Amino acid sequence: MFTGLIETLAMVTEIQDESPGKRITVEAPMFRSPGTKEDTRIGDSVAINGCCLTVVEIEGVFFTFEAGEETLRRTNLGALVAGSSRVNLERALAVGDRLGGHYVSGHVDATGQLIERVDDPPWANLKFSLPREFSVQVVPKGSITVDGISLTVVDVGDDFFTVALIPHTLEVTTLGTRKVGDIVNLETDLLAKYVQRSLEHRSDT
């Protein structure tokens, strides 16, 4: 479980084919605290652009993850390029941690596309496409996760939603450099999923 509050923006340093998946290595110095309980270890869960993956190898400040074929197909991780792609990273929520965003599972529901960007420095307003089947799970002033970032929805339609980004979010996440046409990972609010499921079950009885 995650919060959608990004801990660090990391560079992808290496991508290795491991048919049918890939091994993805990122550089994340802030995840190293040797000798302390805060140190990241093999087997820990980390959300990469909102997709929960497991640390399988650590070498200094470089962390390697394995992404399967299904993950690469359903998220934007398959389009990462070593040496030029940057990703949002967040370690799993520990018991007792503050919850500043919202509950994020790390299971990407779908991908969307940035279809409009209006910069109003130092702010920005972004509009993303949204698969129609998920629009019922998104409401104005509700939460949505974009590339692992917990955001508040401004407006929503049958196939889109909009968000307004503060300068801090633009500075410390991938959304600062996202361009129209870019693909992002989307996860709708967990509570909305349960409400929808409950209502569907009620209508069937």
Side-chain angles (χ1 to χ4, degrees):
M1 190 66 70
F2 304 89
T3 68
L5 299 182
I6 303 306
E7 293 186 87
T8 188
L9 185 60
M11 176 65 71
V12 177
T13 59
E14 186 176 4
I15 298 177
Q16 298 174 296
D17 286 326
E18 193 177 66
S19 185
K22 294 180 183 292
R23 288 171 66 92
I24 301 170
T25 300
V26 302
E27 183 178 9
M30 74 163 295
F31 282 8
R32 292 315 313 266
S33 301
T36 73
K37 64 179 182 179
E38 285 78 25
D39 194 29
T40 304
R41 299 173 173 83
I42 291 176
D44 285 354
S45 294
V46 176
I48 300 181
N49 280 358
C51 181
C52 180
L53 296 179
T54 301
V55 178
V56 297
E57 184 179 330
I58 300 174
E59 186 173 339
V61 296
F62 298 94
F63 298 81
T64 298
F65 306 83
E66 292 174 328
E69 180 181 20
E70 182 76 356
T71 297
L72 296 172
R73 185 174 66 85
R74 290 184 173 272
T75 72
N76 62 13
L77 299 189
L80 296 177
V81 178
S84 62
S85 293
R86 299 175 74 85
V87 290
N88 301 316
L89 300 184
E90 181 193 356
R91 289 169 290 188
L93 182 67
V95 175
D97 282 355
R98 289 183 177 181
L99 180 62
H102 71 283
Y103 283 119
V104 177
S105 70
H107 300 152
V108 175
D109 292 311
T111 56
Q113 186 176 52
L114 178 56
I115 54 179
E116 183 179 297
R117 177 175 182 134
V118 179
D119 287 296
D120 184 18
W123 295 66
N125 298 288
L126 277 60
K127 181 178 183 180
F128 295 95
S129 64
L130 175 70
R132 288 178 177 269
E133 62 266 33
F134 294 105
S135 63
V136 70
Q137 299 172 1
V138 182
V139 297
K141 298 184 181 180
S143 296
I144 191 166
T145 307
V146 178
D147 272 352
I149 310 159
S150 175
L151 298 174
T152 299
V153 176
V154 174
D155 191 20
V156 61
D158 290 337
D159 59 0
F160 75 89
F161 67 93
T162 64
V163 294
L165 303 184
I166 63 174
H168 178 75
T169 301
L170 293 169
E171 181 181 352
V172 302
T173 75
T174 55
L175 293 185
T177 56
R178 285 295 189 193
K179 304 180 296 296
V180 170
D182 284 353
I183 301 299
V184 295
N185 296 328
L186 303 176
E187 182 186 332
T188 59
D189 187 25
L190 190 60
L191 178 59
K193 293 182 174 72
Y194 282 116
V195 170
Q196 181 185 15
R197 178 60 177 165
S198 177
L199 292 174
E200 289 174 346
H201 179 71
R202 181 179 299 178
S203 66
D204 290 339
T205 57

